[in-house]
Every structure is written in structure tokens, then in C-alpha cells.
Amino acid sequence: MKITYAFDLQGFPVGYFLWVTALLCIYIHPVSLAQAPPRSEIDINTFIAELFPIPPDDSEELYEALLQLYASPLDLNAATPDDLSATFILSEQQLRSFFEYRSKAGALLSLYELQAIPGFDIYTIRRLLPFVTISTKAVSMREALKNPGQHFLMFRSGKLMERQKGFAPLDSNSNAVTRYQGPRFNGYVRYRNARSGAYSFGITLEKDSGEEIWQWNARRQIFGIDYTSFHAQIINRGRLKNLIIGDFQMQAGQGMVTGAGFSLGKGSEVIRTVYRSTTGLKPYTSATEANFFRGIAATLSITSRTELTILVSNTKRDATQDTDSIHATITTSLPITGYHRTPSEIDKHNVLRELNAGLHLLHKMASQKGQVGVIMLHTGYDSFIQKRDLAYNRYEFSGKQNLIAGLHGDYHWQNVHFIGESAISKSGGTGAIGGLIASIGKKFDVSVMARHYARNFHTFYGNPISEATRPVNERAAYAGVRWSPSRRWQWSAYFDYFRFPWLKFQVDKPSRGFDYFLHLLWKPSKRLNAYVLFHEKHKQTNDPSASESDPSLIWSIKRTAMLNVDYEIPLKCAFRTRLQYGGLKNEHSEGSNGFTVAQDVTWHFSKLEFSGRAAFFKTDDYDSRQYVYEKDMLYAFSIPAYYNTGIRHYLMLRYTVSKQLKVWLRWSQTRYSDIEKISSGLNEINGNKRSEAKLQVMYQF
């Protein structure tokens, strides 16, 4: 998919260097680097489903953020409050308890010691374990290289069993432009060698179904396969706290300037929604081909509590470009799908050069009371950016240069955590977030937040909490509460009110809306937990009966209700039953409704794990489609849309051939009862079923 390596180096074949480096690391790496037995595998889909029973729009970014945490577990003896907060697991009270315990008892000697920390229950500890580790002493780079915490090579491929129109033979009414240029299978290769707190080295190669297998265009930074990602990182070497060469992301403050995809958003975790952790520089290991930096970045320790981060990025981005009346190139949009299957998609592949330079100065207060930071990011393009001349685009970014600067901070006072960030872009547009999290006793938590993003606020790598897909043209207020009367019961709720002072796509007047969420969790034992939830969102949209010259707005209402029951016998089997309902209506229609019933099962044997699902769904149309998480292979992600009437099932096997080798096989199928064609355009399938087969092989050195 989407973007390739970063430095031209005056024509040096960087792609060739990457391939050779990968082969050298895989085949010539000393035998002494064999690692200890790997940690138990986590089902990221289940973890996210607990945080977000209703999948957010940026599910894939959140998924990749959690995978990075899983791939680089935190050393509990070196972790900061922001590091642990970024796991989305611990409450404010649990965070305080942990650091009070560590300051009094000293470094932890074992993960079993977590049971001695006040406020830590078995359920919380089990969720935390995949993301943390214990190191009782600092290790040299030589020792770290000899004993990596993670060292693996992974390959995955799959394809749809039914033929899509894009792969069909040409007929008299079509030509090569209307067909995919590559084979039907997709491919993914990943190599990672890392030791938490010491170093990380990784390469990711990926092609989508329909993309060509081999491509080479040094000018566009395309070297071999469609998407190539590389990073090399060293950590905690004296004053050099972090150094990354290759692909990386950065998270600072509340994500106003650099958001790094670590946005918790609005979900069942109603309290920590309002706070973003300053996790700093992280390697980028995702196959999502946009919204990351490519170049070099470093974090230096100026004093014991002050750090300076500097980054420089030089990359290519997909772009839709036209030529104006004076033959200058104008960029009208920046696609982020990462698909390069047809000639028109290939023409957009990595045609726009983007340069970024930024810095972040962070000062941490004594006793981990809080921190304050200043951040700046300058972005430049080699083509003039100008979106289509439409009313709702009037305040969108135009030009070749953007500069954004921000100030962020947070402070702990007794049981209250204050947070805030403000930023201003070159256009003069401003953004601001302010809020707090408070614990009222041991059973009650509250959070409140206000946010403001001007209509001309331009941030390209920012990702703070927002109702819209981007932080622009929005004013809002949020409040969340959580009540835990006992270890068995937990009740959560939030209310969010938002306004859009300027026009939006398909909303031709200033508009407003609100949504609320209710969630009740029951955990009677270690094996059983169940929850029910209700979510309703009201938003204004264009009235389709109004004229274009005199637009008016009507209210659109979307509802979701869900019952979910999980039962697990550890190391033996697990069952999940889900009933889900969703509906969408407005003032002029009866609405569209749908429901899904899904049953999941997982069985564990000595070397074999079997997972499966059977689901029935029925919706009035696509507007009431249902999204339901599915269990997938390690480092894979699946949230299919269920719509119309039909059944959905999948089977997945994971077989442990040896301590080093694991194999996954997955087959899934959706069968519809009331349609003869699936999808549209080049993705169209003649028939009423859609089947996919996948294979994954992972070798751990």
C-alpha cells in the first residue's frame, strides 16, 4: 500500500539496501541471539472490543497503536505515568497506587508483585501483563543484542475466492484502464528484532490484492514491492534517550500537533478518553501507508527532567494533481487508502514530496506531579495544495507551507489530574483542549473536557479527540462518569455536545449535535463477564427536500444497543455471545434498522488453537449496517460490515509446530439471501457469497 522509503541520497538504490539488510539480518544473525520463550499471545481484537464495543472510525490506527505496545512491552521499573497510561488499562487511582508502591518498595522483582499493589485486581493484572515486562538491571547493547525480547520473521497472504470485476477478462465495453494490474492475492512480510528499552530494528513489506508484485521507481521512492517500511532505533544510551532512523510517529501532549494514532476516542472507557499520554517517538511498523514520518528523529536529555526532541522527515505521499492555466501543478487531494491497483491509482502513487521539521521541549515536574511542553512542526510540499472551490472548503489549507506551534501541560493535585493544550497554525487558526480527571473516593470517577478547533485551524499530524474525522471547525464539551460499587459491577456513561460553526461536507449550514453512551458491566467471577450498552447520536444534516439555493437542516438519529456475554475456562476454551441492534432515522423517514446475533468459540489444545464464529444478520439496507469485531491472526485486524440479510462464519486454526514456528489458517465467508451482486465497481462480485482464505507463518529465532 502507500508510501515508501525516505531518502533519495542522490539516486542511491535505497530499496536495494533495505532488501539486502533484511536478508543479512535474517540469515547472518548470530545464533547467540536466540531469545527466551515468547510471551503469551494477545487477541488485540478482543482487547479493543472491550474498549470500543462500537468500533470507532479510526479503529485501524488504534489497533496499530496497541500492537506497538504489545511489540515493545514497557519495563515497569522504568515506565513513566504517561507510558502506563497509554495502555488504556489503569485508572487514575491505580496509576497513583503503582507509583507510590514503586517509590516506597523500590524496583519490582517480579510481575507477581503487582498483586501486592492496592487497587490492582486479577482482572486488571491479566489485561496488563501482555504489555509489560520487568528488568532488574540496565543491560549493555551487546547483552541486549544477544538476548532480544522479540526476534521473528512473519509472512501472510490471502485472497478472495470469488472473482471481482477488476480481475475479470476484458470485454468489448472495457479496456485495461478498468482492470486491476496485479494478481488477486495480497502479501505481507514483517521482520522484527527488538529488546524493550534498548533497541528495535524492523522491516515491513506489503502489497494489496490487485497491486503489481514488482515495481521500481526511485523518483517516487518505490523500491520493489508496493509498500516498504523500515526503522532502526536505539534507546537509553546515556543522554541519548531515543534515536530512530526510518519510519516513525510521535505523540506529544493531547495530540494537537502530533497525534501518532494513539487516540482513545469516545468508547466504554469514559474517563481516560480525555487524556492523551506523551509517549514521544515510536517506530512506525504499520502497513497503513499514510500519516507517519520518514527520516531521522532523536530525543536528548538536557537535564534529569528536561528533554528535547528533534525530527526531520522527507517522504513522498499519494496525491491527486491537476495542471492550472499557467501549467503549474496543483494538488487537489491527498488520498490515504494506499491502494495502487488501477492505472489511475498508480498515477497518484507517491507523486507529492513532503518535508517536515519539528521540535518538542518537555520538562517534567518533581515527584511526577506533571509536565509542560512546547512543540512546533513545519510542513512543506513541492506542489501547491488547493482543494476544490466549494463553500465548505473555504477555510481549508491552501499553499505549500504550514507551521503549527503548541503548548501543553498536565498537573496532578491530590485526586485531580488537570490537562490542557493549545496550538496555533500559520493561518491564525487556533485549537485548544482543557479538562480534568478526578477520583471521588474509591468507587466514583469523573472526567470533563472542553475543546475548540477553529475553522481555519490546520494540523496535518494532529489527532486529538474530536467528533469529526479531523480537528477543525468544532466546539464541544464532554463529561464522563464511572461508578464501581463493587468488583462485580461497573456503570459508565458519557455525554458529548458539539457544534460546527462552519459548513461541512453535505451539511450546507452551521450545525450541531450530541451523543450519549450508557454501559453496564457485570463480572461475577474470573471466568464470566457480561455487559449491556446503549449509544445514541443526534446530528444535523442537509434536508434532501430543500432547494440548493435555500438549504435547511434536519435531525438524524443513530442508535446502537448491545448485549455481550463472555465465558472463559483459562487455557481450555472461551465463548462469546453477542446480540447487537442498530438503527438510523431522520425527521422525514421511518428509518433503517438491523440486528446481528453472533456466537464465537475458541478451544485450546496442547499445540492447536481453534477459533470460529457463526453469525446471522438482517438489516433494512446499508445505512443500518452492523460492525462486529472478529478474531484474526496475530498482527491482523478484522471488522467486517454486516448488511442486508445473511450469515457470516469463519474458522481459524493456529498450530504451534515448534517453539520457533507457528502457522495460522483462516477461512471466512459471508452468504447473503437477498442479493445477486456484492459491492460495486471493480470490487463487484457476481453471486451472493464472499469467501476469503488466509495463511500466516511466523518463525521466532
Side-chain angles (χ1 to χ4, degrees):
M1 283 159 59
K2 301 59 182 180
I3 309 178
T4 6
Y5 199 66
F7 302 102
D8 283 339
L9 297 181
Q10 298 182 345
F12 182 81
V14 180
Y16 176 78
F17 169 78
L18 288 177
W19 283 95
V20 172
T21 303
L23 293 175
L24 288 174
C25 290
I26 295 170
Y27 295 110
I28 306 180
H29 211 284
V31 177
S32 60
L33 289 185
Q35 67 173 33
R39 295 170 295 136
S40 59
E41 182 181 316
I42 186 175
D43 180 5
I44 298 289
N45 296 281
T46 298
F47 188 86
I48 295 179
E50 293 177 357
L51 285 173
F52 296 97
I54 304 170
D57 294 334
D58 56 352
S59 295
E60 189 168 356
E61 292 185 352
L62 176 65
Y63 174 79
E64 291 294 341
L66 288 170
L67 273 182
Q68 290 189 37
L69 287 171
Y70 175 71
S72 303
L74 298 169
D75 179 0
L76 288 177
N77 288 328
T80 67
D82 271 1
D83 291 334
L84 280 179
S85 177
T87 64
F88 313 132
I89 295 172
L90 301 181
S91 67
E92 284 289 314
Q93 183 177 342
Q94 289 170 328
L95 286 170
R96 287 196 302 272
S97 294
F98 174 83
F99 287 100
E100 288 174 2
Y101 178 88
R102 198 177 72 178
S103 65
K104 295 177 181 178
L108 279 70
L109 301 178
S110 168
L111 290 173
Y112 291 106
E113 206 170 338
L114 291 172
Q115 299 176 76
I117 300 176
F120 274 58
D121 55 70
I122 295 299
Y123 177 73
T124 300
I125 294 172
R126 287 179 59 192
R127 296 179 70 205
L128 184 64
L129 286 179
F131 301 107
V132 297
T133 186
I134 292 288
S135 177
T136 56
K137 64 176 182 178
V139 297
S140 66
M141 184 61 71
R142 176 177 296 182
E143 183 179 349
L145 289 169
K146 288 182 178 180
N147 298 283
Q150 195 175 53
H151 189 195
F152 68 85
L153 174 66
M154 186 176 71
F155 166 79
R156 180 170 67 238
S157 184
K159 73 171 186 178
L160 291 180
M161 309 307 293
E162 294 77 24
R163 187 171 64 185
Q164 297 171 300
K165 184 178 180 180
F167 299 106
L170 296 174
D171 53 40
S172 58
N173 297 321
S174 59
N175 54 57
V177 176
T178 62
R179 292 295 183 266
Y180 295 144
Q181 305 298 294
R184 292 167 59 185
F185 72 88
N186 57 62
Y188 177 86
V189 178
R190 183 174 183 176
Y191 172 77
R192 182 83 184 264
N193 186 342
R195 171 76 178 254
S196 180
Y199 75 94
S200 175
F201 176 85
I203 297 175
T204 301
L205 312 172
E206 190 256 6
K207 73 166 288 294
D208 294 306
S209 173
E211 293 178 339
E212 295 177 318
I213 298 177
W214 183 258
Q215 306 173 57
W216 193 277
N217 188 327
R219 183 177 61 84
R220 294 193 184 185
Q221 299 178 358
I222 305 172
F223 303 100
I225 205 164
D226 178 78
Y227 170 72
T228 304
S229 177
F230 159 84
H231 78 268
Q233 177 190 36
I234 58 174
I235 312 168
N236 298 327
R237 301 296 105 181
R239 288 189 175 274
L240 181 62
K241 308 301 292 183
N242 200 342
L243 172 66
I244 302 180
I245 299 175
D247 296 343
F248 60 93
Q249 287 185 313
M250 182 173 176
Q251 162 63 35
Q254 302 312 302
M256 197 80 72
V257 179
T258 56
F262 285 80
S263 177
L264 193 56
K266 294 185 289 185
S268 62
E269 177 42 72
V270 302
I271 302 301
R272 302 215 59 78
T273 287
V274 305
Y275 181 66
R276 300 283 299 277
S277 299
T278 298
T279 54
L281 298 170
K282 298 288 184 181
Y284 187 77
T285 59
S286 170
T288 303
E289 302 171 23
N291 299 325
F292 62 90
F293 298 111
R294 174 163 288 175
I296 184 170
T299 299
L300 304 173
S301 177
I302 299 176
T303 68
S304 60
R305 297 204 302 267
T306 305
E307 297 177 349
L308 174 66
T309 298
I310 301 174
L311 69 88
V312 178
S313 171
N314 177 357
T315 189
K316 290 279 192 171
R317 293 193 59 173
D318 288 5
T320 302
Q321 296 185 326
D322 294 322
T323 303
D324 64 11
S325 58
I326 58 174
H327 307 293
T329 299
I330 301 294
T331 296
T332 57
S333 67
L334 300 174
I336 60 173
T337 64
Y339 290 126
H340 310 113
R341 304 161 297 183
T342 64
S344 61
E345 290 176 347
I346 294 172
D347 287 343
K348 302 174 185 178
H349 191 189
N350 287 2
V351 295
L352 177 69
R353 180 178 296 278
E354 179 186 276
L355 301 174
N356 282 283
L359 62 84
H360 178 225
L361 183 64
L362 180 69
H363 177 74
K364 299 179 181 180
M365 302 176 191
S367 302
Q368 298 180 338
K369 286 289 186 180
Q371 57 192 0
V372 61
V374 178
I375 185 168
M376 299 177 64
L377 181 67
H378 180 272
T379 304
Y381 299 101
D382 64 354
S383 169
F384 193 90
I385 308 291
Q386 181 66 64
K387 291 196 172 183
R388 292 184 300 163
D389 186 17
L390 298 171
Y392 69 87
N393 283 334
R394 180 174 301 172
Y395 297 98
E396 290 287 345
F397 172 80
S398 65
K400 288 187 173 183
Q401 309 283 333
N402 186 53
L403 176 66
I404 182 171
L407 173 68
H408 69 86
D410 66 277
Y411 183 76
H412 293 266
W413 177 73
Q414 296 184 358
N415 292 335
V416 184
H417 185 188
F418 297 94
I419 61 172
E421 181 172 12
S422 62
I424 184 170
S425 60
K426 182 182 177 182
S427 62
T430 58
I433 289 178
L436 62 85
I437 298 173
S439 296
I440 304 175
K442 296 182 178 180
K443 298 180 179 181
F444 198 72
D445 298 296
V446 298
S447 62
V448 295
M449 179 192 64
R451 58 188 188 272
H452 158 79
Y453 312 124
R455 65 190 71 177
N456 61 336
F457 179 59
H458 303 140
T459 175
F460 301 149
Y461 286 89
N463 187 27
I465 183 174
S466 64
E467 171 60 28
T469 55
R470 297 181 298 129
V472 63
N473 182 35
E474 181 175 328
R475 295 176 183 175
Y478 172 97
V481 296
R482 181 171 61 216
W483 180 45
S484 304
S486 69
R487 291 187 177 183
R488 294 187 175 187
W489 294 94
Q490 184 181 93
W491 178 80
S492 304
Y494 76 71
F495 180 85
D496 191 41
Y497 175 82
F498 42 85
R499 293 197 303 117
F500 307 109
W502 185 243
L503 318 183
K504 298 175 58 183
F505 176 65
Q506 294 184 342
V507 184
D508 296 331
K509 279 188 172 182
S511 60
R512 56 193 172 92
F514 65 90
D515 73 320
Y516 64 90
F517 175 89
L518 305 172
H519 184 273
L520 179 63
L521 174 65
W522 179 51
K523 297 183 294 181
S525 68
K526 299 177 183 177
R527 297 184 176 185
L528 176 65
N529 76 78
Y531 65 79
V532 294
L533 68 82
F534 181 78
H535 179 239
E536 184 169 286
K537 180 177 290 189
H538 297 242
K539 295 181 74 171
Q540 290 181 307
T541 61
N542 280 344
D543 184 349
S545 63
S547 64
E548 293 185 6
S549 60
D550 186 22
S552 62
L553 304 181
I554 59 175
W555 283 98
S556 172
I557 304 173
K558 184 176 183 180
R559 296 187 177 100
T560 301
M562 188 183 305
L563 168 64
N564 189 94
V565 180
D566 289 291
Y567 181 78
E568 179 183 7
I569 302 177
L571 304 179
K572 290 186 177 181
C573 59
F575 302 90
R576 165 172 291 180
T577 303
R578 172 170 291 195
L579 307 177
Q580 184 169 313
Y581 161 83
L584 178 68
K585 69 174 185 177
N586 59 49
E587 298 174 17
H588 295 169
S589 70
E590 295 182 358
S592 171
N593 299 287
F595 72 91
T596 295
V597 180
Q599 178 63 57
D600 295 348
V601 60
T602 299
W603 287 94
H604 302 276
F605 302 95
S606 58
K607 290 190 174 183
L608 180 68
E609 180 184 279
F610 165 85
S611 303
R613 162 176 291 178
F616 172 77
F617 55 90
K618 182 177 176 60
T619 72
D620 293 336
D621 50 40
Y622 190 72
D623 287 340
S624 54
R625 63 193 177 276
Q626 306 289 298
Y627 289 100
V628 185
Y629 292 95
E630 292 183 350
K631 186 170 184 176
D632 211 324
M633 302 168 173
L634 184 62
Y635 298 108
F637 188 46
S638 178
I639 311 182
Y642 297 0
Y643 60 94
N644 292 325
T645 301
I647 57 174
R648 166 80 177 175
H649 45 262
Y650 73 82
L651 296 172
M652 186 173 72
L653 299 177
R654 186 194 69 185
Y655 182 66
T656 304
V657 181
S658 65
K659 290 183 178 180
Q660 290 76 35
L661 184 63
K662 292 182 181 179
V663 179
W664 289 259
L665 293 171
R666 191 178 194 269
W667 177 82
S668 60
Q669 184 181 82
T670 305
R671 186 182 294 267
Y672 301 91
S673 61
D674 57 352
I675 59 176
E676 297 180 354
K677 290 184 178 181
I678 301 173
S679 193
S680 60
L682 296 184
N683 290 327
E684 182 181 280
I685 296 173
N686 280 319
N688 69 336
K689 62 180 181 179
R690 186 181 188 274
S691 311
E692 183 183 23
K694 295 199 299 184
L695 165 71
Q696 178 168 296
V697 179
M698 182 177 189
Y699 186 82
Q700 294 174 304
F701 295 85

